[in-house]
Amino acid sequence: MFSLDSFATDKLDALEARNQRRRLVDTERAGAMALSVAGGPSLISFTDNDYLGLSTHPAVIRAAQDAAARYGAGSGASRLVTGNHPLYGALEAKIARLKGTEGAVVFGSGYLANVGIIPTLVGKDDLIVADELVHTCIHAGMQLSRARVEFFRHNDVDHAADIIAKNRSKHERVLIVVDGVYSMDGDIAPLKGLGTLAEHYDAWLMTDDAHALGTIGGGRGSAHATGAEHLVPLQMGTLSKAAGSYGGYLAASKPVVDLMKTRARSLIYTTGLPPSAVAAALKALELIEADPDMVARPTLLARRFAAAMGLAMPDTPIVPLVIGTEVDALAASARLADEGFKVIAFRPPTVPEGTSRLRFSFSASHRDADVDRLIETCHKLGLNQQP
Ligand SMILES: *Cc1c(COP(=O)(O)O)cnc(C)c1O
């Protein structure tokens, strides 16, 4: 017992010394992008992934309430046992329609989707070629698969081509994995180039569209935004960001979807989602399909902010402001909080050393006046002066 606690304490102390210790803070979200941290004053959040404000949309909340009343608070078992309540089928059909795929399968979360999908498709004799900046849960899925993993430089199609050309003949199956939108920089993967490459070498291209569903491509995600609909056979994503609920998915062909339902361990050996979460996601996707102006708004606001700050023009609702050290990034975040804004500082290991940053994310539920005041405040704090 003593060695266990001293291990944990020493580890935390070392992280604290590098300003990398993390803490959970009670946060009460009160409707459209307003929140209160640890019981403090109300702040406007420019840090959520709730890009459309749908987590607090009245129709989405009502759908969740109705589902809980009808089907219960929990699902009671794995989907393969008795947890596959009828809302799942409706949600999967909706995702497939939105994505233009034959089918879709819903997992417990985006993280669970990635750790289930990747080992179901590739194993120890296979090769995974991944962008160096893919999300942490893709790393977890790749490790579980025991496949050989090679990384290519961020968004560098030529480098990916080099790796595949040199190694294709040594492996039966090759999986190329990228994020559709990179959450820390807000840039979009070059899917036409990667998709053409994948076709040429009979490799399978997979996107993680966690930040792309509901935000780009008319809400349909990165493949649609880049004109690569037919080049991306594996479109994974989450229902926890723009869709405002919880859960993960893979949109793919019918055989691939059926294989997941039969073999993906993170689908089989875990309890089905609460009916309320599935109903909320379904309602949110209906709203996304019906309202292209809502989908376009977060990126328009992001562009307005970036222009006023002298930053590169974003194609997504995400605007990074790289500060440098952990200490400076935390200080900038604290100063913004004093002015009424919640903007989280992202630090290593989430971002590379020396690139600690403020990550601004914009939502359809921000008012124009909120963004104007944010711009004013950033100017006042000299944040637009940062290199
Ligand atoms: C948030 C995120 C996930 C995880 O999704 P959850 O549903 O929150 O588990 C996966 N990939 C990327 C790129 C993400 O940003």
Side-chain angles (χ1 to χ4, degrees):
M1 288 300 263
F2 175 74
S3 70
L4 173 61
D5 286 352
S6 60
F7 158 75
T9 308
D10 291 350
K11 190 104 189 168
L12 286 170
D13 288 348
L15 289 166
E16 184 86 60
R18 296 204 301 270
N19 289 297
Q20 290 181 2
R21 174 161 183 176
R22 293 154 192 242
R23 288 184 171 79
L24 294 169
V25 190
D26 284 358
T27 304
E28 208 168 317
R29 298 177 67 243
M33 307 326 272
L35 53 76
S36 158
V37 177
S42 174
L43 303 178
I44 297 174
S45 170
F46 282 94
T47 223
D48 287 37
N49 299 317
D50 190 5
Y51 296 110
L52 302 172
L54 293 180
S55 74
T56 56
H57 191 289
V60 175
I61 293 173
R62 204 173 324 112
Q65 288 169 330
D66 291 350
R70 175 153 182 205
Y71 297 109
S75 70
S78 163
R79 293 190 63 187
L80 272 300
V81 183
T82 58
N84 198 46
H85 46 80
L87 296 166
Y88 265 116
L91 177 59
E92 289 175 343
K94 173 64 72 186
I95 293 169
R97 205 173 87 201
L98 196 66
K99 288 286 191 176
T101 55
E102 246 175 35
V105 51
V106 169
F107 290 79
S109 71
Y111 199 112
L112 285 170
N114 277 330
V115 301
I117 295 163
I118 297 171
T120 302
L121 295 174
V122 289
K124 68 177 173 37
D125 298 325
D126 301 323
L127 172 67
I128 301 174
V129 181
D131 189 287
E132 62 185 346
L133 295 186
V134 289
H135 192 263
T136 307
C137 60
I138 292 177
H139 286 261
M142 295 192 298
Q143 276 178 10
L144 278 174
S145 78
R146 295 159 67 219
R148 173 179 167 202
V149 179
E150 297 289 337
F151 293 100
F152 61 92
R153 285 185 296 274
H154 178 52
N155 279 352
D156 186 338
V157 179
D158 291 339
H159 190 205
D162 259 7
I163 294 171
I164 298 179
K166 286 201 184 87
N167 297 291
R168 181 68 189 92
S169 61
K170 299 177 205 155
H171 300 277
E172 189 183 343
R173 291 177 284 264
V174 177
L175 180 69
I176 303 175
V177 192
V178 298
D179 288 9
V181 168
Y182 287 85
S183 61
M184 291 299 125
D185 293 294
D187 51 345
I188 300 173
L191 295 179
K192 262 196 166 155
L194 290 169
T196 307
L197 174 68
E199 258 191 344
H200 182 75
Y201 285 102
D202 184 26
W204 306 333
L205 178 59
M206 171 171 166
T207 51
D208 177 336
D209 252 359
H211 296 272
L213 180 78
T215 62
I216 60 172
R220 289 168 162 75
S222 60
H224 288 77
T226 55
E229 293 93 324
H230 305 296
L231 296 171
V232 190
L234 299 160
Q235 300 184 48
M236 170 273 165
T238 179
L239 302 163
S240 67
K241 288 168 180 158
S245 180
Y246 200 66
Y249 66 85
L250 176 67
S253 67
K254 187 166 183 315
V256 170
V257 164
D258 288 346
L259 180 67
M260 292 300 150
K261 289 177 178 167
T262 306
R263 295 289 288 185
R265 301 174 76 84
S266 63
L267 181 115
I268 299 168
Y269 298 103
T270 190
T271 301
L273 281 165
S276 53
V278 176
L282 179 58
K283 177 54 74 179
L285 294 183
E286 282 170 24
L287 296 170
I288 287 169
E289 227 179 0
D291 193 347
D293 289 346
M294 172 182 76
V295 169
R297 181 168 166 81
T299 301
L300 289 177
L301 294 176
R303 293 173 77 87
R304 178 149 140 209
F305 174 75
M309 294 285 287
L311 296 167
M313 229 2 94
D315 296 314
T316 69
I318 300 167
V319 182
L321 179 62
V322 174
I323 306 268
T325 67
E326 286 91 335
V327 179
D328 289 347
L330 288 169
S333 171
R335 280 152 69 211
L336 281 167
D338 290 342
E339 301 284 340
F341 297 106
K342 181 71 185 170
V343 183
I344 290 269
F346 282 88
R347 294 165 281 161
T350 308
V351 296
E353 287 293 338
T355 70
S356 287
R357 68 193 65 187
L358 297 174
R359 172 187 177 273
F360 295 86
S361 55
F362 292 81
S363 167
S365 56
H366 284 129
R367 295 168 305 176
D368 290 0
D370 298 331
V371 177
D372 290 342
R373 201 165 71 74
L374 177 69
I375 291 168
E376 226 170 83
T377 304
C378 286
H379 279 255
K380 188 174 98 182
L381 297 178
L383 289 171
N384 55 322
Q385 310 292 326
Q386 297 290 338

